[in-house]
Structures are given as C-alpha cells and as structure tokens.
Amino acid sequence: MKRLKVKGPTARRAFGGAKAVTGMQHGKLRSGRWSRVDVQVSVIVAAVVALSFLCVYAFNYQVTYRDMIETLKERSDSIYSYVEDSLDKSTFVTIDQAADVDDPDDAAYGAYREMKEAFKRVKAATGVRYLYTAKRAADGALIYVVDGLPSESEDFRYPGDPIEPEIVDEMERALANEIVYPTDIKSTDWGHIFVSYYPIHDEGRVVGVVGIEFDAERQFEAFRVVRIGTPVIGGLFCLVAVAVAVVLFRRISNPAYRDLANTDYLTKLKSRNAFEVDMANWSRSGVEVAGVLVVDLDGLKAVNDELGHAAGDDLIRAAAGVVAARCEGAGPVYRVGGDEFAVCCFELDAEGAQRMADDLHAACAGTVVEGRPLSLSVGWALRGDGEDLREVHRRADERMYEEKARSRKGRPRASGDGAASA
C-alpha cells in the first residue's frame, strides 16, 4: 500500500512537475504566436511612437527648413540692396537687343560692360551663382538686358533674348513691384537653386527686374537625407519600441495579470480559476493526480448573520491558513468557493487521506475565531484509472456534504474513501 508523503521530496517533485508542464504549455503559446493583447500593445506603442516621431520630425524640419529659406532670403536681400543702388538704370532704356552693345562708341556699350563687371564683382564677393536683369520690351515681351554669366558660357543670354516661359509669371509679379521669393528650392537642369526676383526702380517707377540665383545643392541634399532618413529611423524605432513593449508586457504585465487572475484575494490561496485551468492542463498533459480533498468551513452563515461579514472573512482566512499548513507539500491548495477549499494531491491513498483529515480536525480543536471554535468538514476521493479529475472532485465534494449532513445530526464522522467532519 502506498503511503502519503505530505512533506516528502516525491510530492514536491510531482507538484513541481505539474507546474513545469503548465509553464511549458504557456511558453509554447507565447513563443508560437502572438496573443490578441500582444497585437493590441504593439499597435498602440507603434502608433504612439510613430505619431510622436512624426510631430517632432515635422516641427524640427519645418523650423530648420524655414530658417534655411530665411537665411537665403536675407543673403538675396543684401545683394539686391547693393545692386539697386549701384545699377546703371540707363541699361533698361538704351539696350533692347544684342546689336546695341556691339559698338564701343555707343553709350549703351559702356553701360553694359560696366554692369557686367559689377555683376562679376558681386558674384566673387557674395557667392551668388547667377545675376541678370530683364525688362519688358516695346512689344510687351519680356527680354534679357544684362546677363552676369561669362559670354562664352553655354547658358549665356544676349540682350534681347526672350525670358524662358517657366519664369515669366515671377517676372510679371516683379514688374508689378513685388519681391518674389521661392517657397522651396527649385530643381533645374543645372542643379538645385534658390532664385528671387526684385523690381528695379528709377525715380519711383519700376523699369526692370533683377534675378538673383543661389546654388542650393548642399542644402537640398541635406534636407533630402533628412526626408528619407527620418522615416527610416522612425520605422526602426517603432520596431524596437514594439519589441521592447511586448517583452516587457509579457515579463511584467502578463505575469502580474495571471497572478491576479489565479490568486484568491482574501486568502492568497490559488483561486477557482486556477483550479479549473490546472485540472484542464493536467488532464491534457497526463500529469498523475492521485486524489482530491474537499474542505468546507462550517457555520459561516451564522457568523456572517450574527457578527458581520468582516468576522466571516476572518473565519475564512483562519480556515485557509489551517488547510494550507496541514496540506503543505501534498499539492496545490485552492479556494474554490466562498467557504470551500480543494487540495489536489499527487500521491494519495486511503490511509494518507484519512491522516490528512485527522490532522485538519486536530488543528481546528485549538483554533478559535471571534470566540467560536473553527470547524471544518472534509471529504476526499481517490482517482480511478483514467478517471476525469472533475469527476474525482465531484465525488469528494458529494462525500464532504454527506459528512456535513451527518455531522449536523450528531453522527460520528465516516472513514475510508469518503468523508470526515470536525
């Protein structure tokens, strides 16, 4: 006959084995696929990180980009101030075509050459890429007047050459006495540029336009890297944040949640939910559970009615302490109802079960709560070959109630595969 080893290593190994099986099942679940909560946490974290990153990116990008544009505007304005003051306004009157600047004896020739030299000096001093003037011809067309590029340059424009159609609108606005700034760096066949158009005045009247163009390749490339790199970095941060959040949630929140879900708040024993989960896991995994003890607290309703529910809670806690202490090592102890407890034993026979029942009765004899002696009814059942654990629990529960009824009638408690009451 097998004997119960309440505090022996075999029972501890059996109990630990059951926990290991349950833990492995949870581990497989966690590693095999994401839970719905994992997905929800990932979506929330990714959305928060992405939105935060986007806001910071948009703010920083706009501030730095606007600052760059404003810096280019200030450079352009300073050049315009110099050109407006030093420009020979007569060029807008005397020069209409290339032939006007071919004759060295012509006054227009000298003014033209002087402006070319002036533009050359400005370019050398300020780093401006391109300077030129334009006006409206007698026929209404917009034409070049003085081009600051060297005459041998491929893009050089002669006096009288028509203004390109794509910049006519900006020229018209400048001739209407408006300073025209770009809202963005422009992409052209000769690179990325920042170009502004300013009206040139003579005695308060707009007589022409000066175009001031800066090479903005370096600025464009810098902000192109920002535009491309920032979303990539943001995406990587999202992935890292999601991974960290899921790991932390599983390590902290999920275990904490499981502890709350599987622990009885009042007694700190395992809860009814843990009882159902453990029995289902053990049945699936083939863990051997030899029997089940069911313990019920006697007289709880009378204590609640006479002394209040706080006293009743004290009585439940006292009963839980006795059951946990006397059944330590036999298997996990659960509070499965308001005043009912269950113990799943991994090694149990009739003699050992009766000894556990006797130990519980002996412990009750010396325990008084709210001036009343503690009283417990105990039922137990051994598991048959292949028997469902729920059926074992049901038999133990029935025999506990049979013994409780017998005790109320003053009959002696039963022994064997049945129940006992104190």
Tab-separated table of all heavy atoms in Angstrom, residues 74-84 122 126-128 131 198 212 214:
chain	number	residue	atom	x	y	z
A	74	GLU	N	17.699	86.527	-46.801
A	74	GLU	CA	18.492	87.635	-46.277
A	74	GLU	C	19.729	87.883	-47.145
A	74	GLU	O	20.095	89.031	-47.415
A	74	GLU	CB	18.900	87.340	-44.833
A	74	GLU	CG	17.729	87.374	-43.849
A	74	GLU	CD	18.148	86.943	-42.456
A	74	GLU	OE1	19.354	86.646	-42.263
A	74	GLU	OE2	17.276	86.893	-41.575
A	75	ARG	N	20.367	86.801	-47.585
A	75	ARG	CA	21.520	86.966	-48.483
A	75	ARG	C	21.092	87.632	-49.793
A	75	ARG	O	21.769	88.533	-50.298
A	75	ARG	CB	22.129	85.589	-48.793
A	75	ARG	CG	22.878	84.957	-47.649
A	75	ARG	CD	23.431	83.605	-48.068
A	75	ARG	NE	24.372	83.727	-49.175
A	75	ARG	CZ	24.848	82.675	-49.852
A	75	ARG	NH1	24.473	81.447	-49.538
A	75	ARG	NH2	25.714	82.867	-50.847
A	76	SER	N	19.970	87.188	-50.301
A	76	SER	CA	19.469	87.749	-51.559
A	76	SER	C	19.094	89.222	-51.390
A	76	SER	O	19.387	90.056	-52.261
A	76	SER	CB	18.259	86.932	-52.030
A	76	SER	OG	17.843	87.317	-53.305
A	77	ASP	N	18.474	89.550	-50.247
A	77	ASP	CA	18.066	90.946	-49.999
A	77	ASP	C	19.279	91.873	-49.922
A	77	ASP	O	19.240	93.013	-50.422
A	77	ASP	CB	17.277	91.045	-48.686
A	77	ASP	CG	15.880	90.453	-48.799
A	77	ASP	OD1	15.419	90.228	-49.936
A	77	ASP	OD2	15.251	90.212	-47.744
A	78	SER	N	20.350	91.391	-49.287
A	78	SER	CA	21.535	92.257	-49.154
A	78	SER	C	22.153	92.529	-50.522
A	78	SER	O	22.627	93.642	-50.793
A	78	SER	CB	22.559	91.605	-48.217
A	78	SER	OG	23.030	90.380	-48.758
A	79	ILE	N	22.162	91.527	-51.387
A	79	ILE	CA	22.688	91.731	-52.743
A	79	ILE	C	21.789	92.681	-53.518
A	79	ILE	O	22.255	93.571	-54.250
A	79	ILE	CB	22.808	90.381	-53.465
A	79	ILE	CG1	23.851	89.502	-52.760
A	79	ILE	CG2	23.165	90.574	-54.932
A	79	ILE	CD1	23.908	88.084	-53.268
A	80	TYR	N	20.476	92.529	-53.349
A	80	TYR	CA	19.534	93.398	-54.045
A	80	TYR	C	19.736	94.853	-53.634
A	80	TYR	O	19.699	95.767	-54.472
A	80	TYR	CB	18.108	92.952	-53.760
A	80	TYR	CG	17.054	93.946	-54.164
A	80	TYR	CD1	16.882	94.314	-55.505
A	80	TYR	CD2	16.218	94.530	-53.211
A	80	TYR	CE1	15.915	95.227	-55.867
A	80	TYR	CE2	15.246	95.433	-53.573
A	80	TYR	CZ	15.092	95.787	-54.895
A	80	TYR	OH	14.134	96.698	-55.263
A	81	SER	N	19.944	95.063	-52.322
A	81	SER	CA	20.145	96.438	-51.856
A	81	SER	C	21.354	97.076	-52.532
A	81	SER	O	21.318	98.254	-52.941
A	81	SER	CB	20.338	96.452	-50.328
A	81	SER	OG	19.185	95.963	-49.674
A	82	TYR	N	22.426	96.319	-52.686
A	82	TYR	CA	23.618	96.846	-53.334
A	82	TYR	C	23.363	97.090	-54.821
A	82	TYR	O	23.719	98.156	-55.363
A	82	TYR	CB	24.782	95.883	-53.146
A	82	TYR	CG	26.002	96.253	-53.935
A	82	TYR	CD1	26.853	97.266	-53.497
A	82	TYR	CD2	26.301	95.607	-55.142
A	82	TYR	CE1	27.971	97.622	-54.234
A	82	TYR	CE2	27.417	95.954	-55.879
A	82	TYR	CZ	28.251	96.972	-55.422
A	82	TYR	OH	29.354	97.326	-56.160
A	83	VAL	N	22.744	96.104	-55.482
A	83	VAL	CA	22.517	96.214	-56.925
A	83	VAL	C	21.560	97.360	-57.231
A	83	VAL	O	21.766	98.143	-58.180
A	83	VAL	CB	21.987	94.887	-57.484
A	83	VAL	CG1	21.520	95.048	-58.931
A	83	VAL	CG2	23.065	93.806	-57.394
A	84	GLU	N	20.529	97.497	-56.457
A	84	GLU	CA	19.533	98.556	-56.692
A	84	GLU	C	20.198	99.928	-56.643
A	84	GLU	O	19.878	100.830	-57.442
A	84	GLU	CB	18.431	98.465	-55.647
A	84	GLU	CG	17.481	99.676	-55.633
A	84	GLU	CD	16.173	99.411	-56.340
A	84	GLU	OE1	16.130	99.649	-57.556
A	84	GLU	OE2	15.220	98.989	-55.685
A	122	VAL	N	30.208	91.310	-57.688
A	122	VAL	CA	29.198	90.866	-56.711
A	122	VAL	C	29.246	89.347	-56.556
A	122	VAL	O	29.185	88.801	-55.442
A	122	VAL	CB	27.789	91.326	-57.142
A	122	VAL	CG1	26.722	90.668	-56.266
A	122	VAL	CG2	27.683	92.833	-57.077
A	126	THR	N	30.022	87.596	-52.940
A	126	THR	CA	28.869	87.035	-52.207
A	126	THR	C	28.626	85.554	-52.461
A	126	THR	O	27.860	84.927	-51.727
A	126	THR	CB	27.580	87.793	-52.583
A	126	THR	OG1	27.311	87.590	-53.982
A	126	THR	CG2	27.729	89.279	-52.306
A	127	GLY	N	29.237	84.998	-53.496
A	127	GLY	CA	28.987	83.597	-53.793
A	127	GLY	C	27.688	83.349	-54.522
A	127	GLY	O	27.257	82.197	-54.640
A	128	VAL	N	27.043	84.404	-55.010
A	128	VAL	CA	25.828	84.246	-55.770
A	128	VAL	C	26.138	83.497	-57.065
A	128	VAL	O	27.216	83.647	-57.649
A	128	VAL	CB	25.176	85.615	-56.075
A	128	VAL	CG1	26.040	86.425	-57.006
A	128	VAL	CG2	23.785	85.448	-56.641
A	131	LEU	N	23.423	86.290	-61.722
A	131	LEU	CA	22.775	87.604	-61.656
A	131	LEU	C	22.414	88.023	-63.081
A	131	LEU	O	23.224	87.868	-64.006
A	131	LEU	CB	23.722	88.653	-61.067
A	131	LEU	CG	23.836	88.759	-59.544
A	131	LEU	CD1	24.992	89.682	-59.183
A	131	LEU	CD2	22.540	89.266	-58.941
A	198	TYR	N	13.510	90.762	-58.070
A	198	TYR	CA	13.284	92.049	-57.412
A	198	TYR	C	13.007	93.130	-58.473
A	198	TYR	O	13.635	93.142	-59.537
A	198	TYR	CB	14.522	92.463	-56.614
A	198	TYR	CG	14.873	91.551	-55.463
A	198	TYR	CD1	15.683	90.438	-55.663
A	198	TYR	CD2	14.416	91.828	-54.179
A	198	TYR	CE1	16.019	89.613	-54.611
A	198	TYR	CE2	14.758	91.005	-53.110
A	198	TYR	CZ	15.552	89.900	-53.334
A	198	TYR	OH	15.891	89.088	-52.292
A	212	ILE	N	18.257	87.058	-58.888
A	212	ILE	CA	19.400	86.673	-58.054
A	212	ILE	C	19.257	85.193	-57.734
A	212	ILE	O	18.286	84.777	-57.099
A	212	ILE	CB	19.458	87.516	-56.769
A	212	ILE	CG1	19.530	89.008	-57.113
A	212	ILE	CG2	20.634	87.093	-55.897
A	212	ILE	CD1	19.445	89.922	-55.908
A	214	PHE	N	20.980	81.569	-56.213
A	214	PHE	CA	21.987	80.915	-55.396
A	214	PHE	C	22.002	79.422	-55.680
A	214	PHE	O	20.961	78.805	-55.916
A	214	PHE	CB	21.690	81.107	-53.899
A	214	PHE	CG	22.005	82.475	-53.385
A	214	PHE	CD1	20.987	83.403	-53.193
A	214	PHE	CD2	23.298	82.840	-53.079
A	214	PHE	CE1	21.268	84.659	-52.716
A	214	PHE	CE2	23.580	84.105	-52.600
A	214	PHE	CZ	22.561	85.021	-52.412
